[in-house]
């Protein structure tokens, strides 16, 4: 039985039907987060440290995220992130500041204008179950992208690659671990010796499986699934779907900041050995989603 929504109040505003953007790394949550951040009434945060610290604590030790206290911790972190204070945006990362068009030190939104809250922090998908427990009336938008393009971008992103360094694995890291894509304890030694392209493919594969679970468990009014390729190649249609789902106007211009992204760049960016490994690790998911023909 699903619990009734917990009413959180931030800046005197009741948080109802918050919106969370989910996806594997580099799947397109950033551009959609930018578009929502610039939509009327929305206050969307992206990667505030108070939220990411909680997400990555859950990532290392999934049992924390499953505990009863996780709901309160995550709600408190998001409440802190959503507070509108004179120096709020100074605590935001470059992506969030750019999305909000912040050039000075003031907040990116006026409290009086806020009616909806949202978050597009990286790696939210690995805590989706906890988010749903924390906000049973939440709306989720998940974005799926060709895993080969995802891996190509991950290999060029030091922040993503940092998670694969041995120093990032502490004694408290638990397995199985959806964040790293390791399904069983006995797979850990194999994971440690795997090239980073394979580890990146495992993270994408895990995120896709979590997306499939959400599609199975959540009703249509709570979950919208988009493809990155539609955001890139058919932005008007994709934005219209988001607008209808959320009942708000969403700017197509803000989606990509005037420079539509390319798709299929893995063809020139992945080395043959890396491509072969990615397609081996994630063959089932790539095939099921239509990115790879069997």
């Amino acid at each position: 039985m699903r619990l009734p929504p917990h009413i959180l109040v931030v800046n005197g505003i009741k948080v109802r039907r918050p919106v969370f953007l989910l996806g594997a790394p580099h799947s397109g949550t950033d551009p959609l987060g930018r578009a929502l951040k610039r939509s009327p009434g929305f206050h969307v945060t992206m990667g505030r440290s108070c939220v990411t610290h909680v997400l990555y604590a859950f990532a290392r030790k999934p049992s924390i995220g499953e505990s009863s206290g996780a709901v309160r911790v995550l709600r408190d972190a998001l409440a802190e992130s959503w507070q509108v204070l004179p120096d709020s945006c100074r605590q935001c990362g470059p992506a969030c500041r750019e999305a909000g068009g912040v050039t000075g030190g003031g907040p990116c939104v006026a409290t009086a204008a806020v009616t909806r809250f949202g978050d597009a922090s990286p790696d939210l998908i690995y805590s989706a179950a906890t988010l749903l427990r924390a906000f049973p009336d939440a709306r989720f938008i998940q974005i799926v992208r060709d895993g080969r393009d995802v891996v190509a971008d991950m290999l060029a992103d030091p922040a993503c690659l940092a998670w694969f360094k041995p120093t990032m694995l502490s004694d408290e890291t638990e397995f199985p671990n959806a964040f790293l894509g390791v399904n069983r304890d006995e797979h850990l030694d194999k994971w440690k010796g795997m090239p980073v392209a394979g580890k990146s493919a495992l993270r994408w594969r895990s995120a896709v499986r979590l997306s499939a679970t959400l599609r199975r468990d959540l009703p249509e009014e709570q979950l919208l699934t988009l493809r990155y390729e539609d955001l890139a190649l058919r932005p008007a249609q994709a934005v219209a779907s988001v607008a209808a789902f959320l009942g708000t106007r969403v700017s197509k211009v803000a989606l990509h900041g005037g420079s539509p992204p390319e798709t299929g760049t893995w063809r020139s960016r992945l080395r043959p050995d890396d491509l072969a490994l990615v397609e081996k690790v994630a063959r089932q998911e790539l095939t099921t989603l239509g990115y790879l023909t069997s």
Side-chain angles (χ1 to χ4, degrees), residues 53-250:
H53 287 166
V54 171
L55 295 178
Y56 294 142
F58 292 174
R60 284 193 176 94
K61 199 168 184 179
S63 63
I64 298 177
E66 296 170 0
S67 67
S68 58
V71 167
R72 178 181 54 80
V73 169
L74 190 52
R75 275 201 299 251
D76 288 349
L78 285 163
E80 180 181 347
S81 179
W82 288 330
Q83 284 184 339
V84 180
L85 302 171
D87 62 345
S88 296
C89 289
R90 293 187 186 277
Q91 303 174 42
C92 295
C96 193
R97 289 173 62 85
E98 184 277 330
V102 176
T103 57
C108 62
V109 66
T111 304
V114 177
T115 58
R116 296 280 295 276
F117 294 87
D119 194 86
S121 295
D123 301 320
L124 274 177
I125 191 166
Y126 303 102
S127 293
T130 309
L131 282 170
L132 184 59
R133 287 162 52 211
F135 301 97
D137 64 340
R139 300 298 185 261
F140 297 93
I141 301 176
Q142 58 185 14
I143 305 176
V144 177
R145 184 186 185 190
D146 189 329
R148 295 164 295 186
D149 275 333
V150 167
V151 171
D153 277 354
M154 290 181 71
L155 293 177
D157 183 352
C160 285
L161 297 182
W163 283 102
F164 304 139
K165 295 180 179 179
T167 54
M168 296 300 289
L169 295 180
S170 69
D171 292 338
E172 295 185 351
T173 302
E174 294 178 344
F175 296 91
N177 190 296
F179 181 82
L180 296 175
V182 181
N183 294 329
R184 300 178 183 174
D185 292 356
E186 58 265 31
H187 292 168
L188 180 57
D189 288 338
K190 183 177 180 180
W191 179 89
K192 289 179 178 178
M194 181 177 285
V196 290
K199 293 177 180 177
S200 299
L202 284 173
R203 282 201 64 193
W204 177 82
R205 186 181 75 176
S206 180
V208 167
R209 290 178 176 178
L210 290 171
S211 293
T213 298
L214 288 173
R215 285 198 302 272
R216 183 192 66 210
D217 295 345
L218 287 180
E220 290 185 0
E221 62 268 20
Q222 273 196 277
L223 177 70
L224 175 66
T225 301
L226 298 173
R227 287 184 184 255
Y228 175 90
E229 293 76 16
D230 289 334
L231 288 174
L233 304 176
R234 291 170 285 276
Q237 296 175 11
V239 165
S241 297
V242 174
F245 177 66
L246 298 178
T248 188
R249 181 172 59 83
V250 180

